[in-house]
Amino acid sequence: MTKSVLVCGAGGFIGGHLVRRLLEEGCWVRGVDSKRHEYASHLATEFMVGDLCDQQFVAKVVDRDYDEVYQLAADMGGAGYIFSGENDAAIMQNSASINLNMLDACHRRTIGRIFYSSSACIYPAYNQTDPDNPNCAEDSAYPAAPDSEYGWEKLFSERLYMAYRHNYGMDVHVARYHNIFGPEGTWTGGREKAPAAICRKIAMAAAEDEIEVWGDGCQTRSFLYVDECIEGTLRLMRSGSCGPLNIGSDEMVTINQMVDLVADIAGKKIHKRHIPGPLGVRGRNSDNRLIRETLDWAPSDSLRAGLEKTYAWVSQQVEQSFAAVERVA
Ligand code: NAD
Ligand code: GDD
């Protein structure tokens, strides 16, 4: 029988890739978002545009039974968005409302299986001060001390999903994503994360130019290519584990190392100008022991392989936007 699936946040980066994969599997997919997907206009079997903070709209979205529900819609961005301080109330109000509405509607309809995308941003800031040895093991989440309101909302919502599991027996699956990147992600406009931002800056630079890097570039992160994120998401959703499980790469690099990697891929000799900017935690890396133990699987692709595909896509977007400006001029 054809599997019936709902993807909330289908107009976004990860949601768009997830819908494509589910369609390839032969699923019937209803995608929902407040906007259409920027790069794939006919994505999903059926697409509903509307605000998931609106309970009446959510009732229309959850008007049938689904075999699987993926709740990825959120007010989301990279360091420039979540650490600016300007967006905290909107992030918390928007994302918490979506999760409250979706869980209530799914519970009323007795829809069991639901996936929620939490974040590495829930981990306590005090465990991420040493760039060489951050602790992001799943059981290190408490005592809670996320470094952003975005992280606090994610932690609240994780608990909300777990409460529906305990009280109503919902088949909940929670992942903590660690900085996901790839083609068709936000690459400009203020919400872009470091991989796309660095690709854009280097694509726009001349062969021996200088680019701006926030901070001293010695802060560490790991970055997961989107295809492996989708693979991990489906494996977790279809497993007996409710999580929360890290879905991330454990190939930790400094931001300076990532800049050098992208410069090498681009074939440019890029110089770095370190400037003040929103930094977030000093070090972060995905701890993959639990996912390996639980799912007998963990991401394994190299950062370089993902950056090669991402740089090719971002530089194409940069060229197209230059061409559009020239046409207008
Ligand atoms: P994204 O911003 O590309 O996608 C989120 C989508 O949610 C957007 O298309 C947005 O329009 C939609 N949305 C927001 N508010 C809405 C509303 N009120 N009604 C309907 N739609 C609404 O982000 P993404 O990178 O695809 O992230 C997907 C999920 O994974 C999010 O929950 C995010 O917090 C989580 N996550 C992502 C990362 C990452 O590195 N990309 C890391 C950790 C967690
Ligand atoms: N975005 C961006 N742009 N970051 C830069 C830049 C730049 O031009 N230059 C240096 N950085 C640095 C940031 O200061 C930060 O220290 C690091 O690169 C990583 O930044 P981001 O990729 O924007 O975000 P993050 O890793 O701190 O947090 C992201 O990942 C979380 C999950 O791991 C965010 O997208 C969160 O929303 C997400 O939950």
Side-chain angles (χ1 to χ4, degrees):
M1 224 178 68
T2 306
K3 209 182 253 183
S4 158
V5 184
L6 174 64
V7 178
C8 300
F13 167 49
I14 302 172
H17 282 270
L18 177 62
V19 169
R20 191 174 288 123
R21 170 77 182 265
L22 292 165
L23 291 173
E24 281 165 13
E25 286 186 355
C27 299
W28 182 95
V29 185
R30 175 180 278 172
V32 182
D33 204 294
S34 51
K35 63 172 178 61
R36 290 201 170 271
H37 198 284
E38 215 175 317
Y39 307 105
S41 53
H42 297 294
L43 211 63
T45 317
E46 191 180 290
F47 201 96
M48 292 173 74
V49 176
D51 183 357
L52 290 164
C53 294
D54 174 357
Q55 285 179 339
Q56 286 174 348
F57 176 67
V58 172
K60 287 185 197 143
V61 167
V62 189
D63 66 347
R64 54 179 290 161
D65 296 331
Y66 297 101
D67 297 304
E68 296 176 351
V69 172
Y70 294 86
Q71 199 320 76
L72 280 79
D75 203 341
M76 151 75 187
Y81 185 71
I82 63 173
F83 297 122
S84 80
E86 301 295 311
N87 308 307
D88 292 345
I91 288 172
M92 296 184 94
Q93 159 72 26
N94 189 7
S95 299
S97 301
I98 296 170
N99 290 315
L100 287 161
N101 290 345
M102 280 301 299
L103 274 167
D104 181 54
C106 287
H107 167 54
R108 284 169 193 272
R109 184 102 206 165
T110 59
I111 289 170
R113 183 162 285 223
I114 182 160
F115 173 91
Y116 174 58
S117 51
S118 181
S119 167
C121 287
I122 66 100
Y123 286 114
Y126 58 76
N127 278 336
Q128 300 173 87
T129 53
D130 177 356
D132 297 323
N133 290 298
N135 177 8
C136 294
E138 283 84 346
D139 62 5
S140 71
Y142 297 94
D147 72 339
S148 64
E149 302 306 345
Y150 168 83
W152 277 106
E153 187 284 324
K154 287 288 185 195
L155 198 58
F156 162 76
S157 289
E158 276 193 8
R159 298 185 70 94
L160 185 67
Y161 280 80
M162 290 304 169
Y164 272 74
R165 173 183 149 81
H166 293 137
N167 292 161
Y168 304 131
M170 282 177 80
D171 187 8
V172 161
H173 301 261
V174 177
R176 292 176 182 156
Y177 289 159
H178 287 245
N179 210 319
I180 316 300
F181 75 104
E184 300 184 353
T186 307
W187 60 278
T188 187
R191 288 187 191 237
E192 64 278 14
K193 288 168 284 125
I198 299 301
C199 285
R200 183 197 70 229
K201 290 177 184 183
I202 293 182
M204 294 175 79
E208 300 207 0
D209 248 356
E210 186 178 68
I211 66 158
E212 289 182 345
V213 176
W214 299 343
D216 64 6
C218 298
Q219 64 270 45
T220 54
R221 292 292 186 277
S222 69
F223 303 99
L224 181 69
Y225 189 66
V226 66
D227 286 358
E228 287 203 299
C229 170
I230 301 301
E231 183 64 34
T233 297
L234 295 176
R235 282 177 186 255
L236 173 55
M237 178 65 150
R238 294 165 184 176
S239 76
S241 167
C242 62
L245 281 188
N246 288 332
I247 295 187
S249 162
D250 57 5
E251 184 185 344
M252 189 173 78
V253 291
T254 65
I255 298 302
N256 285 335
Q257 285 169 330
M258 185 176 65
V259 172
D260 292 344
L261 205 47
V262 177
D264 190 54
I265 290 165
K268 298 182 183 182
K269 196 171 179 313
I270 295 294
H271 305 276
K272 306 173 197 80
R273 180 148 48 92
H274 295 285
I275 61 161
L279 301 177
V281 292
R282 187 67 175 152
R284 176 174 288 156
N285 190 19
S286 183
D287 184 326
N288 287 353
R289 287 173 297 174
L290 189 59
I291 190 172
R292 205 171 279 120
E293 196 181 291
T294 309
L295 303 183
D296 197 23
W297 175 89
S300 58
D301 287 356
S302 72
L303 174 61
R304 186 179 180 106
L307 283 176
E308 281 171 358
K309 289 178 256 189
T310 307
Y311 182 76
W313 183 82
V314 172
S315 54
Q316 195 183 26
Q317 304 309 305
V318 168
E319 274 169 34
Q320 284 172 6
S321 65
F322 281 162
V325 170
E326 273 168 24
R327 273 199 304 277
V328 172

